[in-house]
Amino acid sequence: MGPFHRPALFLDFDGTLVEIAERPDAIRVPEDLPKLLHRLAAALDGALAIVSGRPLGDLIHYLPVPLPLAGEHGAALRPVPEEPPLRPDLPQPPAAWRARADALVAEYPGTLLEPKAHGFVLHYRQAPEAGAPAHALMASLVAEDPAAFTLLEAHMAWEIRPRGPSKASAVRALMAAPPFAGRTPLFIGDDVTDEEGMRACRELGGQGWRLQEAFGTPAELRRWLARALNPHEVPPSLEVTP
């Protein structure tokens, strides 16, 4: 394949830029990753964004560089690093839902509940036997208000989130304004949660790549991104063959 001209680059975080960990707070961010992303964003005239399911606060903590960010699958958007994030008015799940999820976590040691502003995630990576009951519980909760909430599958986890925002909506919002507008979008992710963003990029005339198929591992992706900056500065296009 040929060069990917004037790209707008959208990158997932967990499992894509950094390796998946047993717990969300146990990830290891390579020391040089923030600097690499900062340099790459500058070379792309700012058209690089992190699009993640994590809260914006997590992304800012792990990547302390001025990048456009989309958190919580598009429910929180920071298109301009120097400006406050955009947060649409979204519903929050009832407290009783969280209590029922807490009860399941207490029943299955190793499971973990990750709270978010407008939902929560039930992780069972350290307790695989909890996968089926976790799915059953989360699906039953969403069934109580399917017009407002949806259930999202992730790496050995189930997430309840509001309907409406998605990684696709985040991509489309960013692509509608500088510095992304007029560029060809490329989304790289590793999970089913990234398929929406990939599909949006394809519909906008770009590409969506699964990490496992295009690179194999986050380390290989980081090496590919670093090579895009060699020998001295990023070229005006990215070679689409990793």
Side-chain angles (χ1 to χ4, degrees):
M1 293 179 285
F4 201 76
H5 292 289
R6 297 195 72 242
L9 192 55
F10 299 95
L11 301 171
D12 176 44
F13 184 63
D14 290 272
T16 299
L17 282 173
V18 299
E19 287 74 7
I20 291 287
E22 292 298 318
R23 299 170 53 93
D25 59 359
I27 62 165
R28 299 183 63 181
V29 179
E31 185 177 351
D32 61 347
L33 180 59
K35 181 179 179 181
L36 169 62
L37 294 175
H38 191 208
R39 291 176 60 212
L40 187 56
L44 294 173
D45 299 319
L48 184 155
I50 307 302
V51 183
S52 171
R54 280 187 180 263
L56 282 184
D58 282 8
L59 298 175
I60 293 169
H61 169 73
Y62 288 118
L63 299 173
V65 289
L67 297 173
L69 302 173
E72 298 189 35
H73 307 285
L77 193 64
R78 191 185 75 174
V80 182
E82 297 80 15
E83 296 182 3
L86 308 175
R87 297 182 182 275
D89 186 16
L90 297 170
Q92 295 185 351
W97 290 12
R98 170 69 184 266
R100 289 161 66 183
D102 281 333
L104 187 141
V105 168
E107 183 179 354
Y108 291 92
T111 56
L112 170 71
L113 202 65
E114 178 189 4
K116 295 189 178 181
H118 299 282
F120 52 86
V121 189
L122 207 165
H123 297 267
Y124 60 91
R125 179 170 294 277
Q126 298 183 78
E129 69 279 6
H135 178 221
L137 171 65
M138 299 287 270
S140 70
L141 296 177
V142 168
E144 295 178 10
D145 193 357
F149 295 93
T150 186
L151 186 62
L152 197 64
E153 183 180 8
H155 282 295
M156 300 194 75
W158 292 98
E159 177 170 355
I160 289 176
R161 76 174 193 196
R163 287 195 178 276
S166 67
K167 292 191 176 183
S169 68
V171 166
R172 291 185 178 279
L174 291 168
M175 285 295 295
F180 299 90
R183 288 176 170 262
T184 305
L186 168 62
F187 195 111
I188 303 175
D190 72 302
D191 200 354
V192 292
T193 62
D194 299 309
E195 293 290 347
E196 295 166 324
M198 295 179 198
R199 185 165 56 251
C201 285
R202 295 186 186 110
E203 291 171 353
L204 291 169
Q207 295 280 341
W209 295 348
R210 283 295 290 258
L211 174 94
Q212 298 90 329
E213 298 166 1
F215 304 96
T217 66
E220 285 298 326
L221 171 60
R222 295 193 298 266
R223 282 190 280 270
W224 180 76
L225 294 173
R227 286 198 301 272
L229 288 165
N230 288 329
H232 303 295
E233 57 184 298
V234 75
S237 63
L238 291 176
E239 183 64 37
V240 302
T241 302

